[in-house]
Amino acid sequence: MFGAEPVDAGPAEDTRAALMALRGEVAKAVVGQDAVVTGLVIALLCRGHVLLEGVPGVAKTLLIRTLAQSLKLDFKRVQFTPDLMPGDVTGSLIYDNRTSEFEFREGPVFTNLLLADEINRTPPKTQASLLESMEERQVSVEGMPRLLPDPFVVCATQNPIEYEGTYPLPEAQLDRFLVKLNVPVPSREDEIAVLQRHASGFDPRDLDAAGVSPVAGPEDLAAGREAVRRVRVDPKISGYVVDLCRATRQSPSLQLGVSPRGATALLATARAWAWLSGRDYVRPDDVKALARPTLRHRVQLRPEAELEGATTDGVLDGVLTTVPAPR
């Protein structure tokens, strides 16, 4: 029903192999986060932004730094704090005494991969300064738009357990993130491997010494995006995505369901995963595999459901179980 032929071999196959090799390269510095790396690659292929959630010390920052080095991408990090101003992120006009003119000084947002560390620790005004950058891929200062580099992806982190002194992202801004990836605490075996690496002299600040080298580049991402655009979508798959999203709007456990933007995001991530899996068509399993990371931050639990111990992932699992998949 949904096709049987694989993606043609050739340049597209080489591009896919290079991007899939990122998991092995990142693993030289970060242990046991293959699923998160795959989610990041999917976001890069879709030109989407990523929200990373995990407790402190699970290598979220190291993960993004290593991915940037493996892809030959420019990387910058901003530590979001309560006193951070919008101009500290986007840039500002500086008066030059030599020329007696105002000169624009670029902020850290002018990069390929921006790590917005602990984004929920800065006030809404500064959080909102990223909105135009994320949606339009440009920064406007004094009415003049300035284009950001391509690719440009924001990877924002937040701590799920500390809420004092934080400013939760509003739903409108959460919806701008393509996926929300949970970064888990490593298993016992992986944690032992981390300690053994550090005992052997591993320095997370020196990725070159760890042997991390570029295995792909911006040209591979561009070629991959073009290949993803050619992935076919059966009308029944489109209907399945819509039915899943509409079911979240009718769920008694949710006070906010998935918007149409979320439906387009789910289809985009499913297409990218299908291509990475070696197919030029989308299957229902692709949609199911990406439903939780693509939709979990776009829904909101009712307070009574939260008190009863419900979780967004659990509700989404229930929706996936009740909505019939096309055959």
Side-chain angles (χ1 to χ4, degrees):
M1 173 70 69
F2 303 108
E5 68 275 14
V7 177
D8 292 337
E13 181 66 34
D14 295 338
T15 299
R16 184 168 58 255
L19 294 176
M20 292 302 288
L22 285 169
R23 289 192 297 187
E25 200 63 24
V26 173
K28 293 179 180 179
V30 181
V31 178
Q33 299 292 358
D34 285 355
V36 180
V37 175
T38 300
L40 288 166
V41 173
I42 288 173
L44 286 165
L45 286 171
C46 298
R47 299 183 73 199
H49 308 290
V50 181
L51 186 61
L52 291 170
E53 188 168 278
V55 298
V58 291
K60 298 186 294 293
T61 301
L62 179 61
L63 179 63
I64 304 302
R65 283 181 51 234
T66 308
L67 181 68
Q69 182 154 327
S70 303
L71 275 168
K72 293 187 291 188
L73 296 178
D74 186 34
F75 166 81
K76 290 178 183 173
R77 173 181 177 269
V78 178
Q79 180 65 51
F80 279 69
T81 57
D83 60 348
L84 194 72
M85 299 297 291
D88 298 329
V89 179
T90 60
S92 56
L93 292 173
I94 305 296
Y95 184 74
D96 191 334
N97 287 319
R98 293 173 300 176
T99 62
S100 299
E101 293 181 352
F102 284 94
E103 177 183 292
F104 179 68
R105 182 172 296 173
E106 294 183 349
V109 76
F110 285 86
T111 187
N112 296 130
L113 206 54
L114 175 69
L115 177 60
D117 223 348
E118 294 188 292
I119 191 171
N120 57 336
R121 291 208 170 276
T122 203
K125 184 177 180 179
T126 304
Q127 292 175 354
S129 68
L130 276 176
L131 273 177
E132 182 188 13
S133 305
M134 293 170 66
E135 192 67 20
E136 307 296 337
R137 286 174 167 76
Q138 68 177 26
V139 168
S140 294
V141 178
E142 296 295 323
M144 180 177 295
R146 292 172 169 84
L147 294 179
L148 297 174
D150 185 33
F152 169 71
V153 170
V154 173
C155 294
T157 71
Q158 61 180 14
N159 183 342
I161 61 172
E162 292 181 4
Y163 294 105
E164 291 185 9
T166 62
Y167 305 84
L169 291 170
E171 286 73 20
Q173 190 160 356
L174 282 172
D175 211 30
R176 295 303 198 281
F177 287 96
L178 181 72
V179 292
K180 178 183 177 182
L181 304 175
N182 292 331
V183 185
V185 175
S187 65
R188 181 176 184 274
E189 292 73 18
D190 288 339
E191 198 164 356
I192 290 173
V194 170
L195 295 185
Q196 288 176 332
R197 286 190 182 187
H198 280 265
S200 301
F202 171 71
D203 183 358
R205 290 170 290 275
D206 189 355
L207 295 178
D208 291 327
V212 177
S213 59
V215 295
E219 64 281 358
D220 294 300
L221 287 176
R225 288 180 194 139
E226 187 58 37
V228 169
R229 290 191 191 102
R230 296 194 294 269
V231 172
R232 293 178 286 114
V233 180
D234 189 280
K236 290 186 177 181
I237 294 293
S238 298
Y240 180 50
V241 171
V242 169
D243 289 343
L244 287 174
C245 294
R246 291 180 68 85
T248 65
R249 300 169 206 161
Q250 299 162 3
S251 171
S253 299
L254 299 176
Q255 63 181 4
L256 177 68
V258 178
S259 69
R261 181 190 285 133
T264 61
L266 180 54
L267 185 61
T269 56
R271 292 176 81 186
W273 176 238
W275 179 74
L276 285 173
S277 301
R279 284 177 280 103
D280 66 349
Y281 60 93
V282 179
R283 298 191 309 199
D285 286 346
D286 301 321
V287 177
K288 292 178 181 179
L290 273 300
R292 290 205 295 179
T294 310
L295 304 181
R296 59 165 59 112
H297 57 297
R298 303 175 194 271
V299 299
Q300 193 174 82
L301 288 169
R302 292 188 183 277
E304 55 270 26
E306 200 166 2
L307 287 172
E308 292 172 359
T311 63
T312 53
D313 280 6
V315 173
L316 290 174
D317 285 343
V319 169
L320 289 169
T321 301
T322 56
V323 175
R327 297 182 179 275

